[in-house]
Amino acid sequence: MKYAKWMKNVGEGFIGEMLRAAQNPEMISFAGGLPALDLFPTQDLQAAFQKVFEEQGNAALQYAQTAGYPELRSWVASQHQRSQRPARTAEVIITTGSQQGLSLLAQTFLDPGDTVFLETPTYLGAIQAFEGFRADFQMIPCDEEGILPDELEKALAFATPKFLYLIPNYQNPSGRVMGLERRIELLKVSQKYGLLLVEDNPYGELRYEGEPIPHLAELGENVIYLGTFSKVLAPGLRIGYVLADEDIIRHLEQTKEGVDLHSNNLTQRAIYEYLQKDLLPDHILKLREVYNVRRKAMVESLQTYLGDRVEMKVPAGGLFLWAKLMGVNNSFDYVQDMIRQNVLYVPGAVFYADGRVSNEMRLNYSCSTPEIIEEGMMRLARGLNQ
Amino acid sequence: MKYAKWMKNVGEGFIGEMLRAAQNPEMISFAGGLPALDLFPTQDLQAAFQKVFEEQGNAALQYAQTAGYPELRSWVASQHQRSQRPARTAEVIITTGSQQGLSLLAQTFLDPGDTVFLETPTYLGAIQAFEGFRADFQMIPCDEEGILPDELEKALAFATPKFLYLIPNYQNPSGRVMGLERRIELLKVSQKYGLLLVEDNPYGELRYEGEPIPHLAELGENVIYLGTFSKVLAPGLRIGYVLADEDIIRHLEQTKEGVDLHSNNLTQRAIYEYLQKDLLPDHILKLREVYNVRRKAMVESLQTYLGDRVEMKVPAGGLFLWAKLMGVNNSFDYVQDMIRQNVLYVPGAVFYADGRVSNEMRLNYSCSTPEIIEEGMMRLARGLNQ
């Protein structure tokens, strides 16, 4: 079969192997990026779906507008500033999860071979979304606050990327945060060169330390912002959104029309119904509380059982802990040993678009209890010491 | 802003104008392709969602498998034959509506400039989905049963398309059906040349006359089949599926992972729950009955009020009536007059990928009562006679 050139050989790949391994009930998986299943506001969502069925019935089951349910778009706009003024409804498009936002942006902006700038390392799903439209990647050097503005400026002297993709809050996989000063410096460079920024913020509300920092989209111009209900509400509902200039939203809408016509109408209305009850702020507080306990448990048991083998920075928010395995060349090499110990992590290499070797690993702490986290860390230590 | 080259100027386009016009409550729109809102099995779907919330709760809100909810995939497989044997679960992928199936196929198979063969005319949404991946189109001449095998063979002498896209049952927009003989002849040609067929069947169950005809995918090899719950259940839920060889499904899965990770988990489970109650067959009987009445009403009032001005063939199923405006050069020219009369149709030209002028119009009869259809036809006659 003659597939498109960008398609890879999809035989027995690494991700398939990990997924199969994760299905073993004995397995402790730190490899996913799942929110905690038992914290979903299932009853409140059930009530919201019920109410939509009762009050809007058939209308919620019909074809709908490509840009999204108007009330939900307005709600999203009401929560956001763009360039220091309130966002407008016409600056919002609802997407089938934030992942679709990335894919729509790629389809709307990229011609094959166009360059996309990435953080080093970055979210695997973004690499996959952009690869699907034949992006060329350039990874911009980062420090513990993310993109280095000087390095970005150097790179811009030699390349004209369509956009720079970044996650300023509790980055996936590194957990790092871009401070306010750095954001302002970055915007100076991006505005000087007319560089479009794609600011992805799935984890921003999952803050366990420090104060919230204004989004790039709030501080400057020429920023596309991606948000999602997956991490604060429920990922299985697949509802996210993009905020951008109206002209960009209209183009994304044109793309989305060919891609899936519109996102699930019933679900958009039910989420709006849920939001109307103003339950989300308390729910987020609860998530922060539980995830913070799990974060601490992971940091502590990592130090207890692998203290001499790892180097890491405590993440101030989000879902992930990122650690270097000292004295190890490639964290990929230990995955099989770990599967035998019934524990999983994601080896760092998959978060680099240039295929480099990495001694890092990404560990998810949001969906395991402290007890399971401790048991998992013991298994990790056994796997490393074999 | 530098968008990808395939993007069109999305200013004040025709479709936007039509959509805005359709929002006027005085408007009678035959322009959509909407199922009848009042026929949705809303209570049964509500019960299905309730049951999923109660019995599966959190699990239905979590991230899920890219290929779809396994039970729903198995159900789809159980309903289908492929190449004269039962379909397998691994041959099914669940998509975010059938529209996503088209887009995933385009992304998975097309390199920019690859050729896609189309019926003449064909579904606008397919043109849009394939355009998003820079397809070159070749329209294969058709008669009242669709693709002419001789013409296809001639075209294959000069071009190597990635696939031929067709709607054998109650085609959109023409309403025509490809008979069994024609299907067999077409498969002979496609198999001789190793041509992949993409068989889209959203309307197959909406049959008002005649006997069902085996799908191309049932009769031969090398056929990708697209199905959907949009027309038989509810389009706002955005659940469709693709049936194909396992290798193709695995590639579509890889593409979908970057595009939206997976389709709405809760909704897939609720649809499966609904299907388990075996309510669909009776629901389809009811749709056939009501739509058949509306089809007859449209045919009759078209003959009454526009008998001397139109040429048409009565469709044996589906949602659309396709008619030629006699003595008219371009049906686009009358759209403004019709908007003034508060009635809408889709001018034929949009269903041709080559931008030709057409004197045809597509009229949807499924979402208007016989009374409204009659009133609409009177308005059409007035618009034409102005």
Side-chain angles (χ1 to χ4, degrees):
Chain A
M1 197 59 63
K2 268 195 184 164
Y3 296 105
K5 292 192 185 85
W6 75 273
M7 295 293 297
K8 292 175 194 161
N9 234 326
V10 291
E12 270 301 275
F14 164 72
I15 290 178
E17 190 180 11
M18 297 279 278
L19 286 173
R20 245 197 341 286
Q23 281 168 7
N24 174 356
E26 299 299 309
M27 188 64 67
I28 294 179
S29 177
F30 301 127
L34 307 187
L37 190 109
D38 45 317
L39 297 181
F40 291 144
T42 305
Q43 287 195 332
D44 292 329
L45 284 170
Q46 180 173 7
F49 273 87
Q50 276 296 92
K51 196 157 179 229
V52 171
F53 266 114
E54 272 155 28
E55 294 180 2
Q56 303 171 50
N58 302 339
L61 299 171
Q62 188 57 289
Y63 281 116
Q65 294 176 34
T66 300
Y69 181 54
E71 281 80 353
L72 184 60
R73 295 174 71 197
S74 296
W75 183 90
V76 169
S78 75
Q79 303 296 303
H80 286 274
Q81 298 275 317
R82 285 187 30 84
S83 314
Q84 310 189 328
R85 54 148 184 87
R88 293 186 285 264
T89 301
E91 293 171 327
V92 178
I93 183 169
I94 305 295
T95 57
T96 305
S98 201
Q99 185 70 32
Q100 187 187 50
L102 295 171
S103 185
L104 292 178
L105 284 170
Q107 187 168 1
T108 302
F109 281 98
L110 301 182
D111 288 306
D114 275 352
T115 298
V116 169
F117 280 5
L118 300 174
E119 290 179 286
T120 310
T122 194
Y123 170 50
L124 173 60
I127 297 174
Q128 290 174 322
F130 303 154
E131 268 176 352
F133 297 88
R134 298 130 210 255
D136 276 351
F137 295 118
Q138 188 168 341
M139 297 168 60
I140 307 301
C142 293
D143 66 7
E144 61 199 22
E145 288 198 51
I147 293 288
L148 288 158
D150 289 355
E151 295 286 344
L152 175 61
E153 196 155 8
K154 267 192 244 166
L156 285 166
F158 296 99
T160 309
K162 278 291 178 80
F163 53 79
L164 162 62
Y165 169 75
L166 75 172
I167 308 173
N169 294 322
Y170 323 123
Q171 202 244 11
N172 181 356
S174 68
R176 69 193 167 207
V177 177
M178 182 177 281
L180 180 60
E181 290 302 306
R182 179 65 61 86
R183 290 179 198 218
I184 291 168
E185 284 173 59
L186 172 64
L187 282 164
K188 264 187 208 149
V189 176
S190 70
Q191 283 168 14
K192 177 172 165 191
Y193 290 86
L195 172 65
L196 188 61
L197 301 181
V198 174
E199 178 181 31
D200 193 4
N201 189 31
Y203 314 112
E205 295 289 348
L206 304 177
R207 187 179 65 253
Y208 318 124
E209 293 174 16
E211 291 304 307
I213 303 168
H215 306 321
L216 293 162
E218 293 172 339
L219 296 166
E221 307 274 339
N222 226 5
V223 183
I224 297 175
Y225 177 96
L226 286 92
T228 178
F229 294 101
S230 290
K231 303 305 187 288
V232 294
L233 213 50
L237 300 178
R238 311 305 304 124
I239 300 292
Y241 50 88
V242 180
L243 272 134
D245 294 345
E246 277 187 53
D247 187 63
I248 293 176
I249 295 297
R250 275 197 299 271
H251 282 78
L252 292 173
E253 197 179 340
Q254 185 194 338
T255 303
K256 186 171 165 70
E257 195 175 329
V259 160
D260 69 356
L261 290 180
H262 63 82
S263 297
N264 191 304
N265 186 358
L266 173 70
T267 302
Q268 290 185 68
R269 290 170 190 246
I271 287 180
Y272 177 70
E273 192 59 45
Y274 172 87
L275 295 167
Q276 284 303 96
K277 288 199 179 158
D278 212 23
L279 299 164
L280 189 59
D282 281 349
H283 179 62
I284 288 172
L285 290 179
K286 186 171 132 196
L287 292 178
R288 283 186 194 151
E289 196 180 311
V290 176
Y291 289 175
N292 188 24
V293 169
R294 293 175 179 192
R295 173 184 71 131
K296 282 185 184 156
M298 184 169 276
V299 170
E300 280 165 25
S301 53
L302 195 68
Q303 278 159 345
T304 304
Y305 298 102
L306 288 135
D308 52 338
R309 302 294 305 272
V310 299
E311 205 178 276
M312 56 121 181
K313 228 177 124 44
V314 178
L319 303 177
F320 303 111
L321 195 148
W322 181 242
K324 267 184 198 161
L325 288 169
M326 307 312 292
V328 162
N329 179 45
N330 188 353
S331 56
F332 246 115
D333 297 342
Y334 288 80
V335 169
Q336 290 301 335
D337 290 333
M338 296 302 173
I339 289 177
R340 274 190 294 275
Q341 295 294 337
N342 281 334
V343 64
L344 286 178
Y345 59 76
V346 183
V350 307
F351 302 102
Y352 296 92
D354 58 3
R356 71 179 65 173
V357 158
S358 154
N359 67 343
E360 293 148 314
M361 59 178 177
R362 194 194 71 178
L363 298 164
N364 167 264
Y365 50 77
S366 58
C367 71
S368 305
T369 62
E371 296 70 36
I372 288 175
I373 287 172
E374 184 171 13
E375 169 63 26
M377 289 299 138
M378 290 195 273
R379 293 183 189 179
L380 271 184
R382 281 202 296 274
L384 273 180
N385 291 328
Q386 267 188 333
Chain B
M1 198 57 65
K2 268 194 181 164
Y3 297 106
K5 293 192 185 85
W6 75 272
M7 296 292 298
K8 290 175 194 162
N9 233 324
V10 289
E12 271 302 276
F14 165 72
I15 289 176
E17 189 180 14
M18 297 280 278
L19 286 174
R20 247 197 339 285
Q23 281 168 6
N24 174 357
E26 299 299 309
M27 188 64 69
I28 295 178
S29 177
F30 301 128
L34 307 187
L37 189 108
D38 46 316
L39 297 181
F40 291 144
T42 305
Q43 287 195 332
D44 292 328
L45 284 169
Q46 180 173 7
F49 273 86
Q50 276 297 94
K51 198 159 179 229
V52 171
F53 266 114
E54 273 155 27
E55 293 179 3
Q56 304 171 50
N58 302 339
L61 298 172
Q62 187 57 289
Y63 281 116
Q65 294 176 34
T66 300
Y69 182 54
E71 282 80 351
L72 185 59
R73 295 174 71 197
S74 295
W75 183 90
V76 170
S78 76
Q79 303 297 302
H80 286 274
Q81 298 274 317
R82 287 187 31 83
S83 313
Q84 309 188 330
R85 55 151 182 85
R88 294 185 285 262
T89 300
E91 293 172 327
V92 177
I93 183 170
I94 305 296
T95 57
T96 306
S98 201
Q99 185 69 33
Q100 188 188 48
L102 295 172
S103 185
L104 291 179
L105 284 170
Q107 186 168 1
T108 302
F109 281 98
L110 300 182
D111 289 305
D114 275 353
T115 299
V116 170
F117 279 6
L118 300 173
E119 290 179 288
T120 310
T122 193
Y123 170 50
L124 172 60
I127 297 174
Q128 290 174 322
F130 304 154
E131 268 177 351
F133 297 88
R134 297 129 211 255
D136 276 352
F137 295 118
Q138 187 168 342
M139 298 169 60
I140 306 301
C142 293
D143 65 7
E144 62 201 21
E145 290 198 48
I147 294 288
L148 287 157
D150 290 354
E151 294 287 343
L152 175 61
E153 194 154 9
K154 267 192 244 166
L156 285 166
F158 296 99
T160 310
K162 277 290 177 82
F163 53 78
L164 162 63
Y165 169 76
L166 73 171
I167 308 172
N169 293 323
Y170 324 123
Q171 202 244 11
N172 181 357
S174 68
R176 67 193 168 206
V177 177
M178 182 177 279
L180 180 61
E181 290 301 305
R182 178 66 61 86
R183 292 180 195 216
I184 291 167
E185 284 173 59
L186 172 64
L187 283 165
K188 264 189 208 148
V189 175
S190 69
Q191 284 167 14
K192 177 172 164 191
Y193 289 85
L195 172 64
L196 188 60
L197 301 181
V198 174
E199 177 181 32
D200 192 5
N201 189 31
Y203 314 111
E205 294 289 349
L206 304 177
R207 186 179 66 253
Y208 319 124
E209 294 174 16
E211 291 304 307
I213 303 168
H215 306 322
L216 292 162
E218 294 172 338
L219 296 166
E221 308 274 338
N222 226 3
V223 182
I224 297 175
Y225 177 96
L226 285 92
T228 178
F229 294 102
S230 291
K231 303 305 188 288
V232 294
L233 212 50
L237 301 178
R238 311 306 302 125
I239 301 290
Y241 51 87
V242 180
L243 273 135
D245 294 346
E246 277 188 53
D247 187 63
I248 292 176
I249 295 297
R250 276 196 299 270
H251 282 77
L252 292 173
E253 198 180 340
Q254 184 193 339
T255 303
K256 187 171 166 68
E257 195 176 330
V259 160
D260 70 355
L261 290 181
H262 63 81
S263 296
N264 191 303
N265 186 357
L266 173 70
T267 302
Q268 290 184 68
R269 289 169 189 247
I271 287 178
Y272 177 69
E273 191 59 46
Y274 172 88
L275 294 168
Q276 284 303 96
K277 290 200 177 157
D278 211 24
L279 299 164
L280 190 59
D282 281 348
H283 180 63
I284 288 171
L285 290 180
K286 186 172 131 195
L287 292 178
R288 283 185 194 152
E289 197 180 310
V290 176
Y291 289 175
N292 188 22
V293 170
R294 293 175 179 192
R295 172 184 72 131
K296 281 186 184 157
M298 184 169 276
V299 168
E300 279 166 23
S301 51
L302 194 70
Q303 279 161 343
T304 304
Y305 298 103
L306 289 133
D308 51 338
R309 303 293 303 273
V310 299
E311 204 178 277
M312 54 120 185
K313 228 175 123 49
V314 177
L319 304 177
F320 304 111
L321 194 148
W322 181 242
K324 267 184 198 160
L325 287 169
M326 308 312 291
V328 162
N329 179 44
N330 187 354
S331 56
F332 247 114
D333 297 341
Y334 288 81
V335 169
Q336 289 302 336
D337 290 334
M338 295 302 174
I339 289 177
R340 274 190 293 275
Q341 295 294 334
N342 281 334
V343 64
L344 287 178
Y345 59 76
V346 183
V350 307
F351 303 102
Y352 297 91
D354 59 2
R356 71 178 65 173
V357 158
S358 154
N359 67 343
E360 293 149 312
M361 59 177 177
R362 193 194 72 178
L363 299 163
N364 166 264
Y365 50 78
S366 58
C367 70
S368 305
T369 61
E371 296 71 35
I372 288 174
I373 287 171
E374 183 170 15
E375 170 63 26
M377 289 299 139
M378 289 194 273
R379 292 182 190 181
L380 271 184
R382 280 202 297 273
L384 274 180
N385 291 327
Q386 268 187 335

